């Protein structure tokens, strides 16, 4: 099955089974869904970041990138020439994902944030804008050119003081980033879309998570292999609540939750009749 068909099929299965905030009984999940999925407030930061995306879409620039996309642990990245507009359209967080990231950060008020996969800095900017001026983020990016572009974008958005972008493969940068952070309040996994690698990074970050930490993952429906990794994360003994919103998934470790729960939650506008039934 092609990647597109796999994703479409996964979305239909998700949509049929998903609940909305109106059918959510867990207080933590209810609060999270209200804040992240349902809040319709608009922020100037959204416009600024989307203007930047429009500029990238209109740009004639072709970049020399090291494509880490799907390479194995020991493989070297492929060198490719990629239009900047393609990185803005296909490899960056969408506006919807960006708003969820912003609101997740706003809700959690993290002090220490880690991102695996900065790309050209779109998701990084949404997170950095939402997390507030006192918080600090380390964002790891394998492709040196993308890291430079991401840095320039954060500078334009006046967010560079909050974020340090570190260039190099995760296998070389993650350990140091974890040591420097010490403890993590929010982690966004958005690079190296292979199941085994995702599980390895998840395990490596886990000792730095505390009761209120939230892990966010993108692309769990990219491939069967990524979906399997996501299912294994849901059943991990330290995970007490997992919320699958299809476009992004959220993992909680709050030990005060008595029963482990896994929820499929869609924004109410995806199922408007759920307001009443
Ligand atoms: C989907 S893009 C990130 C998009 C970005 N987080 C956003 O929200 O706009 C994934 C990025 O991860 C990087 N990446 C993938 N595998 C990597 C690895 N093993 N080490 C370092 N970077 C990697 C890629 O170079 C790519 O730029």
């Amino acid at each position: 099955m092609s990647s597109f068909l796999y994703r479409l099929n996964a979305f239909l299965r998700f949509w049929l089974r998903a609940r909305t905030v109106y059918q959510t009984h867990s207080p933590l999940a209810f609060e999270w869904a209200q804040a992240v999925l349902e809040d319709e407030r608009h922020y100037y930061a959204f416009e600024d970041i989307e203007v930047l995306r429009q500029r990238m879409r209109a740009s004639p620039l072709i970049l020399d990138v090291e494509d880490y996309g799907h390479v194995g642990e020991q493989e070297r990245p492929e060198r490719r020439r990629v239009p900047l507009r393609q990185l803005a359209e296909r490899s960056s967080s969408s506006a919807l994902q960006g708003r969820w990231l912003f609101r997740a950060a706003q809700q959690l008020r993290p002090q220490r944030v880690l991102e695996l996969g900065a790309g050209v800095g779109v998701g990084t900017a949404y997170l950095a804008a939402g997390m507030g001026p006192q918080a600090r983020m380390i964002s790891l990016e394998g492709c040196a050119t993308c890291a430079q572009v991401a840095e320039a974008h954060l500078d334009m958005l006046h967010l560079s003081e909050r974020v340090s972008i570190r260039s190099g493969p995760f296998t070389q940068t993650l350990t140091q980033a974890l040591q420097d952070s010490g403890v993590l309040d929010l982690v966004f996994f958005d690079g190296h879309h292979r199941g085994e690698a995702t599980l390895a990074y998840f395990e490596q970050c886990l000792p730095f998570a505390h009761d209120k930490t939230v892990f966010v993952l993108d692309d769990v429906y990219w491939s069967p292999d990524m979906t399997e990794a996501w299912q294994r994360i849901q059943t991990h003994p330290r995970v007490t609540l997992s919320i699958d919103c299809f476009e992004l998934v959220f993992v909680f470790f709050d030990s005060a939750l008595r029963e482990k729960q896994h929820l499929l939650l869609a924004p109410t506008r995806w199922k408007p009749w759920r307001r009443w039934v």
Side-chain angles (χ1 to χ4, degrees), residues 53 65-73 87-88 90-94 97-98 101 115-127 139-144 146-147 166-173 188-193 197 201 218-219:
R53 192 200 303 272
V65 303
E66 289 160 310
D67 187 357
Y68 280 84
H70 312 286
V71 296
E73 200 66 30
L87 294 174
R90 296 200 208 149
S91 316
S92 298
S93 287
S94 66
Q97 289 172 318
L101 288 170
E115 179 183 43
L116 283 87
V120 288
V122 175
T124 323
Y126 273 105
L127 277 172
S139 180
L140 309 178
E141 174 50 54
C143 164
C146 295
R166 299 188 181 178
S167 174
F170 299 149
T171 44
Q172 288 172 23
T173 53
F188 181 33
F189 297 82
D190 192 17
H192 207 167
H193 296 135
Y201 302 135
D218 188 11
D219 286 317

Side-chain angles (χ1 to χ4, degrees), residues 102-227:
F102 175 95
R103 295 198 197 107
Q106 214 183 29
Q107 169 74 359
L108 201 62
R109 294 253 152 250
Q111 287 304 302
R112 297 279 156 196
V113 179
L114 175 67
E115 179 183 43
L116 283 87
V120 288
V122 175
T124 323
Y126 273 105
L127 277 172
M131 71 191 192
Q134 306 309 325
R136 290 293 173 260
M137 177 182 349
I138 297 176
S139 180
L140 309 178
E141 174 50 54
C143 164
T145 315
C146 295
Q148 278 174 10
V149 175
E151 266 171 356
H153 286 160
L154 292 168
D155 212 25
M156 285 178 210
L157 295 163
H158 308 292
L159 292 169
S160 48
E161 277 207 354
R162 302 180 192 185
V163 188
S164 138
I165 305 232
R166 299 188 181 178
S167 174
F170 299 149
T171 44
Q172 288 172 23
T173 53
L174 182 56
T175 306
Q176 189 61 49
L178 290 170
Q179 274 174 21
D180 294 346
S181 292
V183 74
L184 293 166
D185 306 310
L186 176 62
V187 184
F188 181 33
F189 297 82
D190 192 17
H192 207 167
H193 296 135
R194 282 189 169 206
E196 211 179 302
T198 301
L199 286 171
Y201 302 135
F202 176 86
E203 288 287 355
Q204 206 178 334
C205 292
L206 213 45
F208 298 83
H210 53 85
D211 251 26
K212 302 295 173 204
T213 300
V214 176
F215 283 3
V216 186
L217 290 91
D218 188 11
D219 286 317
V220 299
Y221 294 108
W222 174 268
S223 62
D225 165 58
M226 281 296 288
T227 310

Side-chain angles (χ1 to χ4, degrees), residues 204-265:
Q204 206 178 334
C205 292
L206 213 45
F208 298 83
H210 53 85
D211 251 26
K212 302 295 173 204
T213 300
V214 176
F215 283 3
V216 186
L217 290 91
D218 188 11
D219 286 317
V220 299
Y221 294 108
W222 174 268
S223 62
D225 165 58
M226 281 296 288
T227 310
E228 199 187 315
W230 169 222
Q231 285 160 351
R232 286 181 55 190
I233 288 171
Q234 290 157 33
T235 58
H236 193 287
R238 269 205 64 191
V239 174
T240 53
L241 170 67
S242 45
I243 304 183
D244 186 335
C245 305
F246 190 79
E247 289 291 336
L248 291 176
V249 301
F250 302 94
V251 181
F252 299 77
F253 304 95
D254 195 337
S255 56
L257 298 175
R258 270 180 289 134
E259 264 179 42
K260 194 180 183 77
Q261 248 197 324
H262 174 62
L263 299 173
L264 274 68
L265 279 184

